[in-house]
Amino acid sequence: MNKNTAKVRIWRTTRCLFLAMGALLMVVPSVATPADDGDTLRVEKKPKGVMRLIYGIKNFMDSSAVRGLDKNFIEAPQRPWQVILKGNVNQSDLRMEATINGAGLIGEGASDMLWAPRIKTVPSTYVGLWAGYRGYGFGYMKNIGGDNGTYLTLGATGGSYGVNFRSHKFDTSEPIIRFKGQLTDEPFDITEKANLDEPIDVHTIFTDAYYLFNGKHFSYAAAYDQSVIQRRSAGSLMVGATFYHINIDYAKHKNAPFINLMNDIGRFKQWQAGVGIGYAYNLVPCRGLLISVMAMPVLVFYNRSTSYHYDSNFNEIVDLEDLLSDDDSYMDKVKITPTGKDSQNNHMVLNYDARLSVVYNWKNMFLNVSGQYNYFHYEKQSYSGRLYDWFINASVGIRL
């Protein structure tokens, strides 16, 4: 996809978000609004059907945004909408390892060998829009340089709780391969970049939910979606739950040699769910400025994986002469065939979640720079991997 196409999609997404917000802004206030002279409500019509549902959701969002808050520490702005233009720089570092039978691959005298592909994307740039009402919103960002990926984010934050969803897709055809072993008593350790004929597709999904024990004085929303404003410094112990899923897929005909070296695994899925205890602190060194830090180790109690196995005709149609030749047209004849899949529950592991955010508020606008780092680990007999994932968001927003 070229940059012009990406820009058109971003513009269309932005336009749809504004139209949706505008429709709600016009519809919801017409149901019931406070009069200027006191507590009397000007009700034009008793809400029915869908409007009644929308009005109920709006009331819930309004009340949950201020319920239990100490106004000396946390302020709920009069204007409930946040529209945020976001820029994002991120990098994913996926490391896979497979232990292969060297004697079966090369011949007698070869030890078991380590085949370790590493998919490290270049720092990638995304732009997009996030829109929310009282901390409940969604956003979409599209890649304009780097890993050819997309980001979809959803968020819901209240006084003492929050839920966030993030989906990231990317692909690469140039993994860095480490090949280590021993051949006739001579050890070797080779690292070089491979050039696959077809890309490796990676899709990750990360969802986290948290509860704050000091939601009266500390606000997570003030640091990450700016639906409220932190006025004085405060911290909070927090408990959280996370769900993580990764899908690594390189099961394509021309990737047959790569699949062989991954112990015939051409696709791998992992599901992880865990709970953690952490701490977060909001520092307000001066009016309008907020610096927020959070760290939480996560113990993964549900850790399930599924590997998809494939066979191929690569060894039957390709010989040493073909491999040494500059002509690789023989790869057009290579075919892979699925041979089944197997799933297993894995042992518990420890993952990490750490975040940093800096916010500056003035009038009805705000600036925010935030970062997040995640570490995930998975393992399946002779196949294992680790994902290191970080991103930095820079955004400017307005309250409506």
Side-chain angles (χ1 to χ4, degrees):
M1 181 181 297
N2 58 42
K3 293 184 178 179
N4 290 331
T5 304
K7 291 178 180 178
V8 170
R9 289 192 174 182
I10 292 169
W11 163 243
R12 289 176 178 173
T13 302
T14 303
R15 183 178 60 183
C16 290
L17 287 172
F18 274 111
L19 288 174
M21 287 193 311
L24 284 175
L25 282 169
M26 289 186 293
V27 171
V28 174
S30 66
V31 177
T33 56
D36 296 332
D37 56 353
D39 296 330
T40 305
L41 291 177
R42 296 195 306 267
V43 181
E44 296 179 6
K45 276 186 181 180
K46 186 177 180 179
K48 296 181 180 179
V50 176
M51 286 307 306
R52 184 175 183 178
L53 175 62
I54 293 175
Y55 186 58
I57 294 174
K58 175 182 178 297
N59 276 345
F60 170 78
M61 292 179 178
D62 288 338
S63 60
S64 64
V66 298
R67 185 184 298 118
L69 299 183
D70 185 336
K71 295 182 180 179
N72 294 317
F73 283 80
I74 302 172
E75 174 190 345
Q78 293 293 322
R79 300 187 178 187
W81 287 93
Q82 307 88 46
V83 181
I84 306 175
L85 178 64
K86 285 181 173 286
N88 174 291
V89 177
N90 70 79
Q91 186 174 39
S92 297
D93 187 357
L94 174 63
R95 306 182 187 187
M96 300 180 288
E97 294 183 0
T99 302
I100 57 179
N101 185 340
L105 178 67
I106 298 177
E108 294 185 6
S111 65
D112 286 346
M113 298 180 180
L114 174 69
W115 175 261
R118 180 181 182 184
I119 303 171
K120 186 176 182 180
T121 64
V122 298
S124 304
T125 306
Y126 289 71
V127 295
L129 189 73
W130 191 93
Y133 182 90
R134 297 292 189 197
Y136 297 80
F138 61 95
Y140 179 82
M141 289 187 289
K142 177 62 184 174
N143 174 266
I144 59 172
D147 63 12
N148 300 318
T150 57
Y151 260 111
L152 174 67
T153 57
L154 300 172
T157 57
S160 298
Y161 65 88
V163 180
N164 298 286
F165 170 87
R166 177 163 56 99
S167 172
H168 183 204
K169 294 182 179 180
F170 63 93
D171 62 70
T172 182
S173 298
E174 298 181 337
I176 299 172
I177 307 293
R178 184 185 182 191
F179 195 26
K180 179 182 178 181
Q182 184 170 305
L183 182 60
T184 61
D185 297 328
E186 289 294 330
F188 63 89
D189 192 342
I190 303 170
T191 301
E192 62 181 24
K193 181 183 290 188
N195 190 359
L196 301 180
D197 291 311
E198 299 189 72
I200 300 173
D201 298 315
V202 181
H203 183 196
T204 63
I205 293 175
F206 179 64
T207 302
D208 68 326
Y210 63 87
Y211 177 81
L212 302 167
F213 290 99
N214 187 22
K216 182 177 181 180
H217 299 123
F218 172 88
S219 173
Y220 183 88
Y224 293 98
D225 64 28
Q226 291 74 56
S227 57
V228 297
I229 301 172
Q230 186 86 37
R231 289 303 187 190
R232 297 174 61 183
S233 300
S236 178
L237 187 68
M238 63 190 299
V239 293
T242 65
F243 172 79
Y244 167 73
H245 171 64
I246 186 169
N247 179 16
I248 307 168
D249 187 1
Y250 45 91
K252 300 164 186 177
H253 296 300
K254 293 185 178 181
N255 287 343
F258 188 89
I259 295 173
N260 289 347
L261 292 170
M262 294 301 296
N263 287 320
D264 298 327
I265 295 176
R267 187 180 182 187
F268 184 82
K269 291 183 178 183
Q270 183 85 6
W271 297 264
Q272 294 185 348
V275 294
I277 299 177
Y279 189 80
Y281 189 80
N282 283 351
L283 173 66
V284 184
C286 61
R287 183 176 178 82
L289 179 62
L290 168 64
I291 302 172
S292 179
V293 293
M294 185 276 282
M296 184 173 67
V298 178
L299 180 64
V300 175
F301 61 86
Y302 177 77
N303 189 3
R304 185 170 178 81
S305 60
T306 298
S307 57
Y308 297 78
H309 299 262
Y310 296 82
D311 196 6
S312 75
N313 61 351
F314 179 80
N315 293 329
E316 299 173 5
I317 67 172
V318 178
D319 55 27
L320 181 60
E321 184 178 344
D322 291 325
L323 295 175
L324 296 176
S325 172
D326 293 332
D327 182 11
D328 61 355
S329 59
Y330 59 85
M331 290 301 298
D332 294 332
K333 302 177 183 178
V334 175
K335 302 295 180 182
I336 62 172
T337 305
T339 58
K341 64 179 181 178
D342 64 86
S343 301
Q344 72 175 39
N345 292 318
N346 306 295
H347 56 74
M348 292 189 296
V349 297
L350 192 65
N351 292 338
Y352 304 96
D353 188 1
R355 308 183 189 193
L356 171 67
S357 179
V358 179
V359 182
Y360 187 79
N361 293 280
W362 77 98
K363 294 184 179 180
N364 292 311
M365 296 189 67
F366 50 86
L367 293 173
N368 172 234
V369 177
S370 62
Q372 182 172 344
Y373 171 80
N374 295 114
Y375 166 80
F376 306 98
H377 172 75
Y378 56 88
E379 186 172 348
K380 176 180 170 55
Q381 297 174 347
S382 60
Y383 184 100
S384 63
R386 293 168 297 280
L387 176 68
Y388 305 85
D389 182 85
W390 65 263
F391 67 84
I392 297 175
N393 281 326
S395 58
V396 57
I398 185 171
R399 296 184 179 94
L400 303 173

